[in-house]
């Protein structure tokens, strides 16, 4: 096909190739469709813009040259020679003017053979007399890419062009370009779209608007495909939305992790919850003391918070609640129930929950640092159920360590830091920082035996983080983003943590002032310092290794605090994590260094006499002298070993996932994925226990309504812990008490009361303010009271009464 060159009679060949898009041209007078113009015929960008209608020269028939200059001749004589240019590509799509549809032109448009149909008439507006105004503004004609033929002067246009007013009204088609609001002269595509019309080029039969014909408005046919459209989704009710929210919550990773940790805690501590109101794990001495601590803190905070540290035991001593770790953080639980049975039930529940929290906290920390789910589960289980912790089953303040990894996880998340991905400022969130400091303060309130090393670790971590932050800033010479809100959160959280620590420490310093002999010495530390063999020796409570290591335990001076085996499986996984892990090499080396350093500190004076490790801390760090059992620092060793193991297991699971995805067929895939659970299974099995659960001695009937201050005989460190538990019925003041040290006054009472009842002991007890003495017959055999329990007391000015299996003396 050739295209006419404006102003000449010569034809030039059109370019071939995919860019030469075939477009339908104007129909000729004989009905033969003119050859379509090519996209290459469009006017170049430097072509002169079309003249406005006001300045166009008039033709002989009264029309302006713009009728033809807009790229499409109109009228009955629309026929042109083959050399006359047809409409250019941009004429029909962007100049905003349109011509009437002829039957032949429409026939060309319907011959697309799969092509999208194009409509010439986009901006045409049909007036009442049937005339279509094709005038366009100067700036819009210039933007439309008018063809050279469209810019032909009026003098070169044939005079046979049909006048615009000769078009019949009935020739106007119903398929108007725009529905409801016809495109006005000079409008662009966006202008038409803003008025709510349908897109240009849509078939007229599918327009759901109205068409103007003979001045009348006629509704168009509805969309024929509307019946096949999908029904709109009904709006969910508030109950369905709530149900979906609950469902998403129940299947969330952290919900499943919490429930899994709780279920595992119930199974791994069984039979703690079998008879929770009558038995205690491991023994009934220290657990009885701690059951009383929770009961007292809850009771006094509800009744008289000002006398929290002046407990009802060790009468008439002051600050007696600070004679040992207090478990003050469990005070809300102590507000529920009353009496010894409720105190035992409360202790057993918190015993199980402490294991669950430790598992969840270590899992959260490993996940935040970048471990996978299975690797994090290995870290959580190994941290909570390490064999050495089975020997601490009677020390709830040691087992209540879950706040340590949980606080570290929350602080790391709030600062956008992980071991695997480093510092990511975009993930900072001050809410997690506040939560982390709050959990850390709660952990400190449970006791300084575990909380004090944690406090110093946090202080050191803050200093190291600040130094690394500024080193990175100097090295990169860029302002490392941190944020004012994050800074404020750390300041306020640190102040809260320090405030709780100082408030908790003040009573302990007062106790040290009043009882200087209560302060530990380096010789006390030496008694409880474990040798290196303790790191591979399991306690008797270990279900797997307990019987096998009986000989090794016999060689230890004080095996309850010296059997420090974290687990042979954990050792193996951590060793593998040094060579095969998702952690970077430098991080693995740092974790290894932490393991070795904490082991050295856990040995106390057994590592080069503690000259470079424990002794400097004992002598110079405030409060460290109260820690006489260095073996409990094994808690940090276990956590670091768990993180090394998590890195190895995560690398293993990632590798298995890659192999499973590459195998065709993938039938071994499920078996390979199940194999990744083997480390978790082995760590869990190694943590199984054979902890005894003895029945707690029943509260004597004489103590259920006894009036204080009172003294219960016989009195000793272990027996007085039962008396403390029995005093939870009303909390009368009692002289008895058991703790980490024994006040001298209590020693004097025990010594003088050996001859009770006699005049000397009665006068001494009256001086202290004691009004009642309860002598337990079941404990009398083998004691001095075996002879004097039935002696007459009328000459002493006191009364004697038999109440159940006890004798009650009123002074």
């Amino acid at each position: 096909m050739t295209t006419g060159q404006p102003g000449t009679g010569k034809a030039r060949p059109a370019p071939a190739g995919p860019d030469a898009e075939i477009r339908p041209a104007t129909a000729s007078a004989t009905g033969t469709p003119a050859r379509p113009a090519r996209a290459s015929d469009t006017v170049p960008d430097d072509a002169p813009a079309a003249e406005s209608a006001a300045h166009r020269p008039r033709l002989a028939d009264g029309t302006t040259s713009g009728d033809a200059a807009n790229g499409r001749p109109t009228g009955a004589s629309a026929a042109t020679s083959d050399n006359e240019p047809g409409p250019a590509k941009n004429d029909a799509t962007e100049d905003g003017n349109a011509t009437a549809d002829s039957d032949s032109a429409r026939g060309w448009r319907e011959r697309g053979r799969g092509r999208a149909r194009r409509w010439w008439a986009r901006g045409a507006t049909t007036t009442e007399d049937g005339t279509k105004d094709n005038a366009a503004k100067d700036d819009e004609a210039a933007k439309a890419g008018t063809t050279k033929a469209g810019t032909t002067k009026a003098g070169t246009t044939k005079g046979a062009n049909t006048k615009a007013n000769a078009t019949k009204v009935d020739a106007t088609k119903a398929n108007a370009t725009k529905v409801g609001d016809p495109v006005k002269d000079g409008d662009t595509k966006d202008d038409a779209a803003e008025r709510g019309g349908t897109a240009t080029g849509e078939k007229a039969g599918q327009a759901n608007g109205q068409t103007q014909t003979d001045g009348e408005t006629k509704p168009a046919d509805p969309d024929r495909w509307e019946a096949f459209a999908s029904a709109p989704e009904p709006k969910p009710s508030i109950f369905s939305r709530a149900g979906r929210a609950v469902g998403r919550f129940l299947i969330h990773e952290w919900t499943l992790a919490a429930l899994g940790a709780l279920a595992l805690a119930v199974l791994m501590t069984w039979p703690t919850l079998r008879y929770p109101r009558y038995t205690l794990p491991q023994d009934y001495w220290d657990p009885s003391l701690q059951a009383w601590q929770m009961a007292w803190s809850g009771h006094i905070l509800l009744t008289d918070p000002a006398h929290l540290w002046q407990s009802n035991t060790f009468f008439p001593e002051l600050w007696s609640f600070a004679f040992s770790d207090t478990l003050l953080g469990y005070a809300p639980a102590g507000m529920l129930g009353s009496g010894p049975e409720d105190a035992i039930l409360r202790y057993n529940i918190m015993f199980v929950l402490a294991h669950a929290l430790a598992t969840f906290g270590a899992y959260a920390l490993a996940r935040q640092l970048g471990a996978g789910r299975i690797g994090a589960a290995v870290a959580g289980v190994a941290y909570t159920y390490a064999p050495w912790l089975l020997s601490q089953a009677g020390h709830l303040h040691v087992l209540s360590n879950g706040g340590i990894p949980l606080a570290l996880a929350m602080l790391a998340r709030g600062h956008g830091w992980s071991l695997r991905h480093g510092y990511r400022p975009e993930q900072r969130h001050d809410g997690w920082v506040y939560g982390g400091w709050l959990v850390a303060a709660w952990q400190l309130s449970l006791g300084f035996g575990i909380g004090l090393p944690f406090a110093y670790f946090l202080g050191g971590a803050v200093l190291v983080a600040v130094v690394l932050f500024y080193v990175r800033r100097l090295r990169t010479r860029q302002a490392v983003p941190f944020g004012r809100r994050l800074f404020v959160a750390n300041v306020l959280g640190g102040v809260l943590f320090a405030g709780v620590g100082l408030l908790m420490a003040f009573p302990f310093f007062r106790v040290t002032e009043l009882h200087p002999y209560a302060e530990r010495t380096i010789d006390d530390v030496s008694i409880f310092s474990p040798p290196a063999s303790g790191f591979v020796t399991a306690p008797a409570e270990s279900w797997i290794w307990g019987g096998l290591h009986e000989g090794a335990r016999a060689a230890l001076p004080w095996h309850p605090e010296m059997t420090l085996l974290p687990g042979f499986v954990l050792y193996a996984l951590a060793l593998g994590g040094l060579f095969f892990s998702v952690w970077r090499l430098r991080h693995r080396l740092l974790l290894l260094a932490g393991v070795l350093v904490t082991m050295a500190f856990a040995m106390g004076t057994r590592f080069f006499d503690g000259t470079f490790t424990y002794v400097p801390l004992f002598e110079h760090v405030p409060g460290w002298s109260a820690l006489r059992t260095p073996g409990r620092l094994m808690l940090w060793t276990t956590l670091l070993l768990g993180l090394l193991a998590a890195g190895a297991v995560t690398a293993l699971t990632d590798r298995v996932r890659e192999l499973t995805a590459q195998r065709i067929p993938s039938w071994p895939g499920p078996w390979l994925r199940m194999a990744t659970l083997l480390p978790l299974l082995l760590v869990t099995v190694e943590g199984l226990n054979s902890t005894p659960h003895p029945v707690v001695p029943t509260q004597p009937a004489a103590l259920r309504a006894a009036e204080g201050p009172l003294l219960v005989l016989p009195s000793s460190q272990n027996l007085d812990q039962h008396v403390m538990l029995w005093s939870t019925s009303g909390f009368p003041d009692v002289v008895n008490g058991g703790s980490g040290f024994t006040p001298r006054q209590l020693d004097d009472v025990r010594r003088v009361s050996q001859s009770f009842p006699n005049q000397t002991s009665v006068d001494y007890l009256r001086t202290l303010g004691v009004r009642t003495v309860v002598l337990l017959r079941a404990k009398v055999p083998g004691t001095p009271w075996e002879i004097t329990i039935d002696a007459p007391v009328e000459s002493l000015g006191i009364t004697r009464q038999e109440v159940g299996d006890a004798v009650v003396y009123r002074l």
Side-chain angles (χ1 to χ4, degrees), residues 656-670:
V656 167
R657 189 178 299 110
E658 294 174 1
L659 292 176
T660 303
Q662 294 173 1
R663 289 191 63 88
I664 300 176
S666 60
W667 64 266

Side-chain angles (χ1 to χ4, degrees), residues 121-125 174-184 187-204 207-212 220:
R122 290 185 60 250
T125 302
N175 48 353
T177 306
K178 178 164 184 189
V179 181
D181 188 10
V183 180
K184 297 179 180 180
D187 280 351
T188 63
K189 180 168 57 177
D190 292 338
D191 298 331
E194 290 178 0
R195 290 198 302 272
T198 58
T200 305
E202 185 177 358
K203 296 183 67 174
N208 294 326
Q210 295 178 346
T211 306
Q212 292 182 356

Side-chain angles (χ1 to χ4, degrees), residues 38 77 95 245 247 250 290 358 386 390 458 475 514 544 582 614 626 717 724 741:
R38 288 179 170 81
S77 60
D95 71 355
L250 292 178
Q290 293 165 344
L390 297 177
L458 276 181
R475 185 180 61 187
L514 296 174
I544 293 181
V582 294
Y614 206 86
Q717 172 72 16
M724 299 172 77
F741 81 102

Side-chain angles (χ1 to χ4, degrees), residues 362-570:
Y363 176 87
L365 178 59
R367 286 289 284 156
Q368 172 60 30
L369 295 182
R373 292 184 177 89
I374 299 179
V378 169
V381 174
Y383 175 75
T384 308
Y385 303 103
W388 77 272
L389 282 170
L390 297 177
S391 63
Q392 303 291 332
H395 301 143
L396 184 58
H397 62 291
V398 178
L399 299 177
S400 299
N401 52 57
I404 294 176
L406 183 59
L408 294 177
M410 297 174 75
L411 289 173
R413 181 164 185 174
H415 289 83
W417 184 84
S418 69
L419 196 64
R420 191 174 184 179
H421 306 289
Y423 179 53
R424 292 178 290 182
E426 68 277 2
Q427 295 191 1
R428 294 168 296 166
H429 196 289
D430 58 328
W432 287 107
V433 176
Y434 285 114
W437 285 111
L438 186 63
V439 172
W442 172 80
Q443 176 66 52
L444 189 62
S445 70
L446 294 176
F448 285 109
I450 296 298
L452 188 64
F454 176 50
Y456 283 114
F457 174 82
L458 276 181
V462 170
L463 292 178
V464 171
V466 171
V467 171
L468 293 178
F469 181 84
Y470 283 102
V471 167
R472 180 178 179 181
R473 185 171 183 175
L474 292 175
R475 185 180 61 187
T476 60
R477 299 185 181 274
Q478 295 178 355
V480 182
F482 190 78
R484 182 179 302 176
R485 295 179 59 181
L486 208 61
F487 177 78
V488 172
N490 280 286
V491 171
L492 296 180
V495 169
L496 171 65
F497 180 78
V500 170
L502 292 176
L503 290 176
M504 291 284 296
F506 178 77
F508 290 92
F509 285 122
R510 291 290 297 158
V511 169
T512 304
E513 293 176 3
L514 296 174
H515 308 278
Y517 51 87
E519 192 171 358
R520 314 295 187 186
T521 64
I522 198 65
D523 293 333
D524 296 329
V525 176
S526 300
I527 295 175
F528 296 99
S529 296
S533 61
F535 296 120
V536 291
T537 305
E541 291 81 3
S542 175
W543 183 68
I544 293 181
W545 309 115
L548 297 174
H549 292 184
E550 185 175 358
R553 286 194 304 273
L556 299 176
W558 186 256
H559 67 83
E561 296 290 347
M562 297 181 180
T563 50
L564 303 179
L565 175 67
F568 291 111
V569 176
L570 183 60

Side-chain angles (χ1 to χ4, degrees), residues 332-365:
M335 298 177 182
L336 305 176
S338 62
E341 290 187 357
D342 287 345
I344 296 172
L345 173 64
R346 183 186 306 115
Y347 178 91
N348 285 322
I349 292 176
M350 299 312 297
F351 180 82
V352 174
L353 291 179
H355 285 80
L357 180 62
T359 305
F360 181 81
Y363 176 87
L365 178 59

Side-chain angles (χ1 to χ4, degrees), residues 673-698:
R673 286 191 292 268
M674 289 181 62
T676 59
L677 297 175
L678 184 60
L680 177 61
L681 178 62
L682 293 177
V683 170
T684 304
V685 171
E686 195 172 17
L688 294 176
N689 73 88
S690 58
T691 304
H693 288 72
V695 178
V696 181
T698 306

